[in-house]
Amino acid sequence: MRAAAKTLDDHRDELNRLDREIGDGDHGENMSRGFAALVVALERDAPDSPGGVLKLVATTLISKVGGAAGPLYGTAFLRAATAVKDLGELDADLVARALRAALDGVVARGKAERGDKTMVDALLPAVEAAEAAAGQGEDVAGVLRAAADAAAEGADSTVLVLARKGRASYLGERSVGHLDPGARSTALLLRTFADVASGPR
Ligand code: ADP
Ligand code: MG
């Protein structure tokens, strides 16, 4: 989560710029502020289980990040926390299940489908790839790398489509030709998780 905070801080201007093109320009600000608050909360009192950390991510994002993304990511991390319960360690199957739970939470809350030009376009293929990788016996790092690769491709696919959910949908046809900022931040988060799980190279 600390690495994620750094990634989002490094990409703050880029995410703001993407959101300026089809939204209100605050997505980088929203995400980096939320994860900076998370780093502070972790320093104060770090939970001792993966589920506890995921729950802290959720409550911090829900309380510190406004707009659409705060509650959506908050719900995603909360559902992931519920999926991993109080287990001390995550294995590949559990990571895939946590990602599926996160996607279900985002969809339950935001009602977006594949191709609506939202974070779902990154997260949905990521979940499918994670489940396939776990089924093939990949380890946690392998599952997260598969998810990150699929999320990157899914985020890129948002350029070609018209936004049907969120602020960008107000633009109609004019939303075509731009990358969705939430799909990009989802891809960045999954890449970071994959890099951390893969360890130093
Ligand atoms: P806001 O749109 O309120 O300014 P952000 O800029 O932080 O919030 O986040 C925008 C991102 O939220 C979009 O790029 C999109 O990926 C995501 N988003 C918006 N509405 C939905 C939705 N209904 N379902 C899934 N994701 C959504
Ligand atoms: Mg915005």
Side-chain angles (χ1 to χ4, degrees), residues 3-18 27-29 31-32 184-185 188-189 191-192:
K6 180 173 185 320
T7 298
L8 291 167
D9 191 52
D10 290 346
H11 290 266
R12 189 172 77 166
D13 293 346
E14 177 200 338
L15 293 170
N16 280 338
R17 178 176 52 73
L18 292 174
H27 189 61
E29 190 64 40
M31 296 303 289
S32 62
R184 175 69 176 140
S185 61
L188 286 169
L189 281 172
R191 179 63 64 200
T192 306

Side-chain angles (χ1 to χ4, degrees), residues 19 22-28 30-31 65-70 72-73 106-107 109-113 117-120 165-168 179-186:
D19 195 29
I22 55 170
D24 57 354
D26 63 355
H27 189 61
N30 288 342
M31 296 303 289
V65 183
L72 287 165
Y73 273 119
V106 170
V107 170
R109 182 142 199 145
K111 310 276 183 291
E113 294 173 12
K117 200 182 185 95
T118 71
M119 59 177 76
V120 169
K165 284 281 181 297
R167 236 176 250 287
L179 189 76
D180 178 66
R184 175 69 176 140
S185 61
T186 291

Side-chain angles (χ1 to χ4, degrees), residues 6-7 10 21 40 59 72 74 84 87 93 96-97 104-105 111 135 138 145 151 163 165 180-181 183 186 190:
K6 180 173 185 320
T7 298
D10 290 346
E21 290 171 9
V40 172
T59 53
L72 287 165
V84 308
L87 296 171
D93 280 324
R97 263 189 282 146
D104 288 348
K111 310 276 183 291
E138 290 282 347
R145 279 195 301 269
K165 284 281 181 297
D180 178 66
T186 291
L190 287 169

